[in-house]
Amino acid sequence: MKNKIKVLRAEFDLTQAQLADKLAVSRQTINAIEKGKFDPSLPLAFKISKLFRKPIEEIFEEEK
């Protein structure tokens, strides 16, 4: 699954560690999501959506 977390994180001036703290996950989890190696759970996707104030479908995109 493609996502815009790295771009949004830069817009919000957050490091991976800071974002991880806000979402109560590890920095490694953020890194894996950004690189498309890990798809977040639905509750985590909602947390990310709420934090960046964007709909989930604007952050995550299904790969074709």
Side-chain angles (χ1 to χ4, degrees):
M1 182 181 305
K2 294 169 62 175
N3 67 75
K4 298 178 181 172
I5 293 177
K6 188 173 183 177
V7 172
L8 292 169
R9 188 169 54 75
E11 287 178 9
F12 281 73
D13 197 27
L14 293 171
T15 65
Q16 286 184 342
Q18 290 168 327
L19 179 58
D21 285 346
K22 290 181 180 288
L23 297 172
V25 298
S26 69
R27 187 197 58 76
Q28 288 81 5
T29 297
I30 299 301
N31 187 49
I33 293 171
E34 284 185 0
K35 291 186 174 190
K37 294 181 178 176
F38 174 75
D39 291 334
S41 65
L42 191 54
L44 180 55
F46 274 108
K47 281 183 175 180
I48 293 167
S49 172
K50 185 175 180 180
L51 183 88
F52 290 127
R53 290 172 265 159
K54 295 204 179 277
I56 288 176
E57 59 269 21
E58 283 188 26
I59 300 172
F60 299 97
E61 181 180 322
E62 185 178 3
E63 291 188 59
K64 297 176 184 175

